[in-house]
Amino acid sequence: MTVSYTLKVAEARFGGFSSLLLRWRGSIYKLLYKEFLLFAALYASLSVTYRLLLTQEQRHVYAQVARYCNRSAELIPLSFVLGFYVTLVVNRWWSQYTSIPLPDQLMCVISASVHGQDQRGRLLRRTLIRYANLASVLVLRSVSTRVLKRFPTMEHVVDAGFMSQEERKKFESLKSDFNKYWVPCVWFTNLAAQARREGRVRDDIALCLLLEELNKYRGKCSMLFHYDWISIPLVYTQVVTIAVYSFFGLSLVGLQSVEPEAGAANSPELLEPGPAVGDLDMYVPLTTLLQFFFYAGWLKVAEQIINPFGEDDDDFETNQLIDRNLQVSLLSVDDMYQNLPPAEKDPYWDEDQPQPPYTVATAAESLRPSFLGSTFNLRMSDEPELSLQVEASPAAARPAPAAQTPLLGRLLGARAPSPAISLRNFGRARGAPWTPHLLRFRAEEGGDPEIAARIEEEGSQSGDEALEP
């Protein structure tokens, strides 16, 4: 059963998480205590062997090996590799939960779309939602050990009421080498089409909505099956496991308290990996055990949730989900169909600003002002000049032309006019001749002042005569 402690952490208080450390079920202690005791026993045995059973020469060789292992352990990027892997596993774990098919949306659409209070209408609604639940049971049997133990054979599925004997014969007569969890969804579509022909589904829009919700439901069944099929690449899991085991294998030897090298008194850096001169010499140091507890516990977290459809303490309660889905779906399409309470006026019928009452424990919340926006209480300047509204000049918003060489300017000046320039030529109708005024305006807008000056000079000599384009 899933371990839930949400209520315990509803409020942040002193020692809030500390109260969770004493729990056993679903805890890291239950997951890790065997490996932890093994590591401590191996470490202590090596420590006793070094101190009591080895000769002076053997101790010297062992100290050299310990220093080598300590330097080698530091080369393993354990935090990076393990952290990235656990993040990937946690994201996958939550995505698998959101892929579990729930019939809540589908049952509401069935109750609203499939009509009839007679025996036939009731049979259609119950059969449609039963097919949906059957599909989820079949796919959960394929991915969850708990569900498979509950329904080891199709006969158990029939006895549970998810499938009739005739439906079982139809199901088993379909020859396929692949998983057939999708068969009840096909039965659903055919039965929905039959209900449409009978007039139980009154229009094609309702039928379309019904099939859309079924496709979403079937899509979750398919996604759940593919999560079970496609695992995290094995090589990544192997790399992380080897990295953790190698690190602590080297730490068993490398973090032992050994005698310092000759000349270590003058060179403090040669005192590794044992304790410095004057430090407490422990057979099994606490910091080493904490390091094992953190890193190995991290790996155990990934091991537990990489497949949440097993029988661990924090795995998904798939059997309870099956019971819940069947109960609420049948209740919604059968007992609740057209079973409405009478419509009455609410207590705030004549009130413009309804205000629900508060209890004494929550009365202080009613005194808080409502949030109107982060800038609502921003104090603006009191100077009237800064509050005046001005109209933006179109010329000021026009970008300045970029610096161009004469040759490049002539080439670019010959480009086609932009739509904004064309719209400004309101003085010339389609097919009308160009006047020097309009040509001068076009030249100025095109960014060629030389052409504009020539047009203005010619226009002053010839008046405002029309020029053919």
Side-chain angles (χ1 to χ4, degrees):
M1 184 176 179
T2 303
V3 179
S4 178
Y5 56 91
T6 308
L7 182 61
K8 298 294 182 180
V9 294
E11 298 178 359
R13 61 184 185 275
F14 177 76
F17 280 2
S18 301
S19 61
L20 304 176
L21 299 179
L22 302 178
R23 294 193 174 191
W24 173 256
R25 184 172 170 274
S27 65
I28 188 62
Y29 320 121
K30 185 177 180 180
L31 280 177
L32 195 61
Y33 77 95
K34 296 180 181 179
E35 289 86 350
F36 185 81
L37 293 177
L38 177 62
F39 179 81
L42 290 176
Y43 192 98
S45 63
L46 289 177
S47 180
V48 171
T49 301
Y50 170 76
R51 298 167 188 269
L52 303 178
L53 301 180
L54 298 182
T55 63
Q56 187 63 30
E57 183 179 356
Q58 291 173 338
R59 290 183 184 180
H60 179 69
V61 175
Y62 183 90
Q64 291 180 339
V65 174
R67 280 184 281 271
Y68 173 78
C69 292
N70 188 43
R71 290 191 297 267
S72 300
E74 295 176 354
L75 300 178
I76 301 176
L78 187 60
S79 298
F80 171 76
V81 174
L82 189 56
F84 188 80
Y85 181 75
V86 173
T87 302
L88 177 63
V89 171
V90 170
N91 292 334
R92 176 185 171 89
W93 167 78
W94 182 249
S95 297
Q96 289 183 82
Y97 180 76
T98 56
S99 298
I100 296 178
L102 299 176
D104 297 56
Q105 293 182 343
L106 183 59
M107 68 188 187
C108 292
V109 175
I110 291 176
S111 181
S113 302
V114 184
H115 299 280
Q117 293 182 329
D118 57 348
Q119 193 74 10
R120 177 61 178 171
R122 183 186 179 192
L123 178 63
L124 287 174
R125 288 189 299 273
R126 292 181 66 93
T127 304
L128 287 172
I129 201 62
R130 182 170 59 83
Y131 284 161
N133 283 282
L134 176 59
S136 66
V137 169
L138 293 179
V139 74
L140 287 174
R141 283 184 72 247
S142 305
V143 303
S144 175
T145 55
R146 292 181 178 182
V147 178
L148 184 61
K149 288 182 178 180
R150 183 180 181 182
F151 307 108
T153 63
M154 294 302 297
E155 186 64 31
H156 291 81
V157 178
V158 174
D159 294 340
F162 291 97
M163 179 185 288
S164 66
Q165 289 291 349
E166 291 297 325
E167 292 167 352
R168 178 191 173 188
K169 294 178 181 179
K170 287 283 187 180
F171 183 84
E172 294 178 347
S173 65
L174 298 172
K175 303 301 179 182
S176 176
D177 297 331
F178 303 97
N179 195 307
K180 296 186 291 185
Y181 66 88
W182 46 269
V183 171
C185 296
V186 179
W187 292 347
F188 184 105
T189 58
N190 292 333
L191 186 60
Q194 182 178 344
R196 173 69 181 100
R197 291 191 296 268
E198 295 177 3
R200 301 287 179 168
V201 180
R202 294 177 180 173
D203 51 50
D204 294 337
I205 297 177
L207 178 62
C208 181
L209 179 61
L210 192 62
L211 297 182
E212 285 179 357
E213 291 299 328
L214 174 69
N215 283 331
K216 295 178 182 178
Y217 187 87
R218 185 211 55 79
K220 288 194 171 184
C221 293
S222 178
M223 185 60 67
L224 199 62
F225 178 77
H226 283 82
Y227 268 120
D228 184 69
W229 182 17
I230 308 298
S231 303
I232 295 177
L234 179 62
V235 291
Y236 197 5
T237 304
Q238 290 175 338
V239 166
V240 174
T241 305
I242 293 174
V244 174
Y245 289 168
S246 300
F247 179 82
F248 288 108
L250 294 172
S251 298
L252 280 175
V253 180
L255 295 181
Q256 294 285 341
S257 298
V258 297
E259 60 184 12
E261 288 185 283
N266 299 326
S267 302
E269 65 274 5
L270 297 177
L271 292 175
E272 60 171 3
V277 178
D279 286 354
L280 182 63
D281 186 8
M282 302 178 63
Y283 277 61
V284 182
L286 178 62
T287 54
T288 302
L289 294 181
L290 288 177
Q291 190 179 36
F292 177 83
F293 187 84
F294 296 147
Y295 284 131
W298 215 356
L299 182 64
K300 275 294 182 180
V301 169
E303 181 182 338
Q304 184 184 35
I305 66 176
I306 192 172
N307 181 11
F309 295 100
E311 297 181 89
D312 294 328
D313 289 339
D314 270 320
D315 285 342
F316 300 151
E317 293 293 331
T318 48
N319 281 324
Q320 288 192 1
L321 280 173
I322 290 175
D323 297 341
R324 179 261 176 196
N325 292 343
L326 181 64
Q327 185 181 99
V328 300
S329 60
L330 290 178
L331 184 66
S332 64
V333 302
D334 192 5
D335 294 347
M336 294 184 63
Y337 177 74
Q338 298 298 328
N339 186 11
L340 301 175
E344 299 177 356
K345 291 183 178 181
D346 58 84
Y348 312 104
W349 183 267
D350 296 323
E351 297 185 15
D352 295 334
Q353 296 181 352
Q355 180 62 56
Y358 285 82
T359 60
V360 177
T362 60
E365 298 181 7
S366 62
L367 303 178
R368 299 175 184 175
S370 59
F371 180 75
L372 301 177
S374 58
T375 62
F376 183 77
N377 295 322
L378 180 63
R379 182 176 180 180
M380 304 300 293
S381 175
D382 295 334
E383 299 180 9
E385 293 82 1
L386 299 179
S387 302
L388 294 177
Q389 294 183 348
V390 296
E391 183 177 357
S393 175
R398 185 183 306 159
Q404 301 172 351
T405 62
L407 179 59
L408 183 60
R410 290 180 178 276
L411 293 176
L412 295 179
R415 65 185 185 275
S418 65
I421 295 175
S422 299
L423 291 175
R424 295 288 300 271
N425 295 336
F426 53 88
R428 173 180 178 268
R430 181 179 297 274
W434 287 93
T435 64
H437 174 71
L438 292 178
L439 288 174
R440 183 169 61 255
F441 176 77
R442 286 290 302 274
E444 290 176 352
E445 291 290 330
D448 198 333
E450 182 180 351
I451 298 178
R454 291 178 55 187
I455 293 176
E456 184 176 2
E457 181 181 357
E458 295 176 1
S460 61
Q461 296 175 359
S462 60
D464 201 18
E465 298 178 1
L467 302 177
E468 292 295 334

